[in-house]
Amino acid sequence: MSIPILNCDRNSRDQLDRFLLDAKEDLSVATEKILPILDAVRTRGDKALIEYTEKFDGITLSSVTLDPHSIQTNLDPKIKEAFLRAKKNIETFHEAQKRESWSKTIDGNRLGVKYTPIPSLSVYAPGGKALYPSSVLMGVIPAKIAGVKNIQLVTPPQKEGLPEILIWLSQILGVNRIVTVGGAQGIAACAYGTESIPKSEFIVGPGNAYVAAAKSYLAGKGIIGIDSPAGPSEVCIIADASANPKWVACDMLSQAEHGEDSSAILLTTDKNFAVKVSEELEKAFIERPKRLEMKQNSIYKNSAIIIFPSLEDCIWFSNELAPEHLEIQTKTNEEVFSKIEHAGSVFLGPYSPVAMGDYISGTNHILPTARGSRIYSSLGVDTFLKRVTFQEVTKESLESLYPFVKLMSELEGLDEEHGTSVKIRTEESL
Amino acid sequence: MSIPILNCDRNSRDQLDRFLLDAKEDLSVATEKILPILDAVRTRGDKALIEYTEKFDGITLSSVTLDPHSIQTNLDPKIKEAFLRAKKNIETFHEAQKRESWSKTIDGNRLGVKYTPIPSLSVYAPGGKALYPSSVLMGVIPAKIAGVKNIQLVTPPQKEGLPEILIWLSQILGVNRIVTVGGAQGIAACAYGTESIPKSEFIVGPGNAYVAAAKSYLAGKGIIGIDSPAGPSEVCIIADASANPKWVACDMLSQAEHGEDSSAILLTTDKNFAVKVSEELEKAFIERPKRLEMKQNSIYKNSAIIIFPSLEDCIWFSNELAPEHLEIQTKTNEEVFSKIEHAGSVFLGPYSPVAMGDYISGTNHILPTARGSRIYSSLGVDTFLKRVTFQEVTKESLESLYPFVKLMSELEGLDEEHGTSVKIRTEESL
């Protein structure tokens, strides 16, 4: 087998449409299973959390929370150095996203926007094999910079104790507490609050189907805000013969390494380059056989190399895909990027593999998947800020604008009170 | 009967908690009814739209869309003048919200944010008695300023023809087309697209329970983005004896005029003032009896005057309420406002009744309700913009950061491909 190589133009809907399915994970089965859990946690609080943790994790909790600042850690200094470097870059990039409140005079009145942070946040971190400490940086740092005061980390307990890296990260990031309850019960605890866990208004971070179903259900009910649902990871790469086919193949495999649902789509105009990348993929399967079946399933079944007549066509299809990650490795990267409308995070040039953004460059790696970047953004400071708009109307302006308000409120059948509330202020003084 | 006057402090949970229910409309009954409609429109397109419009509106459509720019209108010039003044103020306020893309050097690499608009938008405008042309301004203007290219107005057909004001507004706002289909079928048409209606990625605007259910269901499936659900209208007013009790009473009735579910909560420290406002409400019921029962139900059942020991307590409870609209009419408005954390739109001083923002001051009146302003904002230019983040890593920076990526990817079990994708770029040249 090998990766499919397709020759397409903009009319090849038969071949292209299958990459454009807005495939969201079907959470209906998981949702049915979690509803009783949500209900139990809402009504019975900590007690329910302890019972579910015994049942699902085989662990008897003496407390459902933990103060990270009360625990000594003994991490390898080299690991610390790596995470501190990442933290600094992520902080610098997100500091630049901060918003200044402002006001200006419009038609005689003072109008403006005051930015305020959301009140509280829970960042979910999966346990076991899916331990991604880098995602803790990505979830907590933008919220801290936005000014969110109450931040808790939520993670399943481990028989051997929580990973030291999570405790240390909570310390250096200023996380207020760790909630040691995983799964739907952990999400429910944060959404509703319990005796020992304060309610959070917002929950972010990846998790299994039960976590995703709980987040989505509670967000649909208006109980919490959430990040966009994390589907399988994907990359689109626009490359020409100036790119290194071995590097491009490895970048594609970086996505495949996440799971067999992940996809890597290479868009190019160069048939020879397409063949070379396909060959490099085969060589890599031999040289780096870890997780082979998973990587091959991802590459053979969910990925493709698509040859278009022109670079313009490649850009067009990338915008149709609205990929989570987009790499641009061509002779004209800036020009290509200027035409990109929809993508989560973009990686320009030969030395910007996605892994640099995953870990250390400073951009956020919590990104919209499944074409979500047509309307959503990566996690950022804005995710945790609200625009409180305000106005202070002057007596003079109110008087001069009243005739317009009168007409408009009459047209909408709201003149009796809306209209009058302005009118009486023109008729008598305060 | 009269409006409840409550004496409370921060511990009066028995009396206060009922104002803090995150009451979202229960859409489950409506959702069940609309699912077959969504399915029919998705599979049978225009034909289904024509059938449902015959069934629900009693109108046989020859076309499901209409080009507003092909129609002559003959509106009262005074009405035009009012809407043009509102348009100008709304445009000026939202122009000030525009974002500049930026980039900066972080740890040797170029990182940045490019703002791009969402691809397309539908703005729903209810028909019949709920005709609110001002909401068309509020939905379309921020999207136009964000650069959204494809904007359609969606509104039920009328036996006597579409209101001229909607056609004229579509002309002056540069709306691309009017979709003359209402209800869940109109929302489905925009979400899925049909033979004659292009798919929209985003739908905003108020509507009845079927419209709300369709929007919410389709957003939950990841098919469209939507504004936050529009619950009953609400105002919170923080006022002291310096305010005019008659004006405050009329501002409360402006919310009551929207429907009996609407609520108006006055927070004050002054018992005499509370009594005066209650008396003014009773006088107003006699002087302005239109929609009396509705207004009285809203005021007597869903509203209250709450007397707190201090202004700080009033501010505290206002932040708990996170109201859609907040009026501040005190001797120290700026100081009070500086402590406001959660509110949709704030109205400062005696000459800023909510009606000014509803129509003409320039702020947006599409706002989060039901405590949504704890985490959401009013509609604005940001609603229709995405942050595309990007990075261009240099060879030197990649080489110096590789040891950190190696450690971090090993810790996450992703060293084989993630780690290698960086490593191979340090080992050989392009």
Side-chain angles (χ1 to χ4, degrees):
Chain A
M1 275 190 89
S2 63
I3 188 168
I5 300 183
L6 312 174
N7 283 284
C8 291
D9 60 30
R10 297 192 194 196
N11 297 316
S12 315
R13 304 308 318 196
D14 280 1
Q15 293 183 85
L16 295 176
D17 276 357
R18 78 177 185 90
F19 300 107
L20 299 177
L21 301 173
D22 303 11
K24 294 282 184 294
E25 205 178 348
D26 183 2
L27 295 171
S28 49
V29 176
T31 303
E32 250 175 68
K33 290 205 179 143
I34 56 138
L35 289 182
I37 300 177
L38 302 191
D39 207 47
V41 175
R42 186 176 56 78
T43 52
R44 297 197 298 115
D46 288 347
K47 239 180 151 174
L49 295 180
I50 289 167
E51 288 167 18
Y52 283 119
T53 304
E54 263 171 15
K55 183 172 166 190
F56 295 134
D57 305 275
I59 293 175
T60 306
L61 293 173
S62 57
S63 164
V64 293
T65 65
L66 186 151
D67 174 9
H69 306 281
S70 70
I71 300 170
Q72 288 269 1
T73 59
N74 187 26
L75 268 186
D76 181 345
K78 290 242 174 267
I79 299 268
K80 285 189 184 180
E81 195 190 350
F83 277 88
L84 286 171
R85 182 73 163 255
K87 173 175 179 277
K88 194 175 165 222
N89 290 346
I90 299 164
E91 282 172 349
T92 308
F93 182 65
H94 288 80
E95 283 280 351
Q97 296 175 24
K98 273 167 82 170
R99 303 271 173 227
E100 291 296 325
S101 301
W102 56 267
S103 69
K104 62 183 290 180
T105 302
I106 295 174
D107 212 352
N109 305 313
R110 185 168 64 105
L111 272 67
V113 172
K114 169 168 137 167
Y115 289 98
T116 61
I118 65 166
S120 51
L121 171 70
S122 288
V123 176
Y124 189 86
K129 280 187 192 162
L131 178 68
Y132 297 132
S134 58
S135 296
V136 176
L137 297 174
M138 300 295 177
V140 175
I141 290 173
K144 270 279 165 192
I145 289 172
V148 180
K149 287 199 195 88
N150 204 331
I151 302 179
Q152 55 198 14
L153 185 69
V154 194
T155 193
Q158 313 281 331
K159 289 203 170 118
E160 58 282 14
L162 280 196
E164 282 206 310
I165 181 82
L166 291 188
I167 294 165
W168 177 73
L169 284 175
S170 299
Q171 291 168 354
I172 62 165
L173 294 173
V175 164
N176 299 77
R177 80 192 58 75
I178 300 178
V179 174
T180 54
V181 183
Q185 59 276 20
I187 299 297
C190 298
Y192 295 119
T194 70
E195 304 91 308
S196 3
I197 300 168
K199 170 180 170 48
S200 283
E201 307 292 341
F202 214 98
I203 304 182
V204 302
N208 64 22
Y210 301 109
V211 168
K215 281 170 66 185
S216 170
Y217 177 84
L218 292 162
K221 292 277 167 196
I223 295 164
I224 50 166
I226 57 170
D227 48 351
S228 46
S233 194
E234 358 128 5
V235 67
C236 172
I237 303 176
I238 302 176
D240 61 22
S242 74
N244 182 323
K246 185 172 163 185
W247 298 1
V248 167
C250 190
D251 296 353
M252 295 171 80
L253 290 167
S254 285
Q255 297 306 308
E257 187 174 31
H258 281 291
E260 62 176 37
D261 291 341
S262 295
S263 85
I265 311 285
L266 169 61
L267 309 178
T268 187
T269 56
D270 190 306
K271 193 170 181 248
N272 284 334
F273 180 73
V275 172
K276 278 190 211 160
V277 172
S278 171
E279 289 167 359
E280 290 293 343
L281 285 167
E282 294 307 313
K283 278 195 232 168
F285 287 140
I286 294 163
E287 284 168 20
R288 299 189 298 275
K290 233 201 278 180
R291 304 191 185 187
L292 184 63
E293 200 183 329
M294 188 175 88
K295 291 192 289 191
Q296 285 183 332
N297 280 338
S298 161
I299 292 294
Y300 295 157
K301 293 183 190 163
N302 295 312
S303 303
I305 301 175
I306 308 178
I307 303 169
F308 277 107
S310 74
L311 198 55
E312 289 295 324
D313 296 320
C314 296
I315 296 167
W316 164 78
F317 191 63
S318 176
N319 281 327
E320 289 284 301
L321 279 174
E324 182 189 16
H325 306 97
L326 171 64
E327 290 186 1
I328 303 175
Q329 300 189 41
T330 67
K331 284 192 284 288
T332 55
N333 295 334
E334 288 304 316
E335 203 192 320
V336 171
F337 181 48
S338 72
K339 294 170 185 163
I340 293 301
E341 290 171 47
H342 314 301
S345 195
V346 178
F347 298 80
L348 291 162
Y351 296 101
S352 309
V354 167
M356 290 298 291
D358 283 342
Y359 289 116
I360 205 153
S361 67
T363 56
N364 206 296
H365 78 205
I366 301 182
L367 296 160
T369 58
R371 304 185 76 209
S373 67
R374 288 172 300 168
I375 53 176
Y376 299 117
S377 306
S378 56
L379 218 66
V381 175
D382 276 343
T383 310
F384 305 112
L385 286 180
K386 305 155 297 159
R387 278 172 281 110
V388 178
T389 56
F390 63 92
Q391 53 240 285
E392 183 173 40
V393 177
T394 62
K395 187 168 194 299
E396 297 66 39
S397 177
L398 176 124
E399 282 166 353
S400 81
L401 292 171
Y402 169 61
F404 304 126
V405 172
K406 181 175 186 293
L407 283 169
M408 293 174 82
S409 63
E410 279 168 4
L411 193 70
E412 300 191 352
L414 295 171
D415 48 315
E416 179 146 281
E417 302 297 346
H418 282 69
T420 302
S421 72
V422 180
K423 186 178 172 215
I424 51 175
R425 284 162 157 102
T426 67
E427 290 173 342
E428 51 183 77
S429 54
L430 181 60
Chain B
M1 277 190 88
S2 62
I3 189 167
I5 301 183
L6 312 173
N7 283 285
C8 291
D9 61 27
R10 296 192 195 197
N11 297 316
S12 316
R13 304 308 319 197
D14 280 0
Q15 294 183 84
L16 296 176
D17 277 356
R18 77 177 185 92
F19 300 107
L20 299 177
L21 302 173
D22 304 11
K24 293 284 185 293
E25 205 178 347
D26 183 3
L27 296 171
S28 49
V29 176
T31 303
E32 250 177 66
K33 290 206 179 142
I34 56 138
L35 289 183
I37 300 177
L38 302 191
D39 208 47
V41 174
R42 187 176 56 77
T43 52
R44 297 197 298 115
D46 288 347
K47 239 179 150 172
L49 296 180
I50 289 168
E51 288 167 19
Y52 282 119
T53 303
E54 263 171 15
K55 183 173 165 188
F56 295 132
D57 305 274
I59 293 175
T60 306
L61 292 173
S62 56
S63 164
V64 293
T65 65
L66 185 151
D67 174 8
H69 306 281
S70 70
I71 299 169
Q72 288 269 358
T73 59
N74 187 26
L75 268 186
D76 180 346
K78 290 244 175 266
I79 300 268
K80 284 189 185 181
E81 195 190 348
F83 277 89
L84 286 171
R85 183 74 163 255
K87 173 174 179 278
K88 194 176 164 219
N89 289 346
I90 299 164
E91 282 172 348
T92 308
F93 182 65
H94 288 79
E95 282 280 351
Q97 295 176 24
K98 272 166 81 169
R99 302 272 174 226
E100 292 295 325
S101 301
W102 56 268
S103 68
K104 62 183 292 182
T105 301
I106 295 174
D107 212 352
N109 305 313
R110 186 169 64 105
L111 272 68
V113 172
K114 169 168 136 168
Y115 289 98
T116 62
I118 65 165
S120 50
L121 171 69
S122 288
V123 177
Y124 189 86
K129 280 187 194 163
L131 178 68
Y132 296 131
S134 58
S135 295
V136 176
L137 295 175
M138 300 295 177
V140 175
I141 290 172
K144 270 279 165 190
I145 289 171
V148 180
K149 287 199 194 88
N150 205 331
I151 302 178
Q152 55 199 12
L153 184 69
V154 195
T155 193
Q158 312 282 331
K159 289 207 171 114
E160 57 283 13
L162 280 197
E164 280 206 312
I165 181 81
L166 290 188
I167 295 165
W168 177 72
L169 284 176
S170 299
Q171 290 168 353
I172 63 166
L173 294 172
V175 165
N176 299 77
R177 79 191 61 73
I178 300 179
V179 174
T180 54
V181 183
Q185 60 275 20
I187 299 297
C190 298
Y192 295 120
T194 70
E195 304 91 306
S196 7
I197 300 168
K199 171 182 171 44
S200 284
E201 306 293 339
F202 213 98
I203 304 182
V204 302
N208 63 21
Y210 301 110
V211 168
K215 281 169 66 185
S216 171
Y217 177 84
L218 292 161
K221 292 276 166 197
I223 295 165
I224 50 166
I226 57 171
D227 47 352
S228 45
S233 194
E234 357 127 6
V235 68
C236 172
I237 303 177
I238 302 176
D240 61 23
S242 74
N244 182 323
K246 184 171 164 188
W247 299 1
V248 167
C250 189
D251 296 352
M252 296 172 80
L253 291 168
S254 286
Q255 297 306 309
E257 187 175 32
H258 282 291
E260 62 177 37
D261 291 342
S262 294
S263 86
I265 311 285
L266 170 61
L267 309 178
T268 188
T269 56
D270 190 307
K271 192 167 183 250
N272 284 335
F273 180 73
V275 172
K276 278 190 210 159
V277 171
S278 172
E279 289 166 0
E280 290 293 343
L281 286 167
E282 294 306 315
K283 279 195 229 165
F285 287 141
I286 295 162
E287 285 168 20
R288 299 189 298 274
K290 232 200 278 180
R291 304 190 186 187
L292 183 64
E293 199 182 330
M294 187 174 90
K295 291 192 291 192
Q296 285 184 330
N297 280 337
S298 160
I299 292 294
Y300 295 156
K301 294 185 190 164
N302 295 312
S303 303
I305 301 175
I306 308 178
I307 303 169
F308 277 106
S310 75
L311 199 54
E312 290 295 325
D313 295 321
C314 296
I315 296 166
W316 165 78
F317 192 63
S318 176
N319 281 328
E320 289 284 301
L321 279 173
E324 182 189 15
H325 307 98
L326 171 63
E327 289 186 0
I328 304 175
Q329 300 188 39
T330 67
K331 283 191 283 289
T332 55
N333 295 335
E334 289 303 317
E335 203 192 320
V336 172
F337 181 48
S338 73
K339 294 170 184 164
I340 293 302
E341 290 172 47
H342 314 301
S345 195
V346 178
F347 299 79
L348 292 163
Y351 295 101
S352 310
V354 167
M356 290 299 290
D358 283 342
Y359 289 117
I360 205 154
S361 67
T363 56
N364 206 296
H365 78 205
I366 301 183
L367 296 160
T369 58
R371 305 184 77 208
S373 68
R374 288 171 298 168
I375 52 174
Y376 301 117
S377 306
S378 56
L379 217 64
V381 174
D382 276 344
T383 312
F384 304 113
L385 286 180
K386 305 156 297 161
R387 279 172 279 108
V388 178
T389 56
F390 63 91
Q391 55 239 284
E392 183 174 42
V393 178
T394 62
K395 187 168 193 301
E396 297 66 39
S397 176
L398 176 124
E399 281 167 354
S400 81
L401 293 171
Y402 169 61
F404 304 126
V405 172
K406 180 174 187 292
L407 283 169
M408 294 174 81
S409 63
E410 278 168 5
L411 193 70
E412 300 192 352
L414 295 172
D415 48 313
E416 178 145 281
E417 304 295 347
H418 283 69
T420 302
S421 73
V422 180
K423 186 177 171 215
I424 50 174
R425 284 160 157 104
T426 69
E427 290 174 342
E428 50 183 78
S429 54
L430 180 61

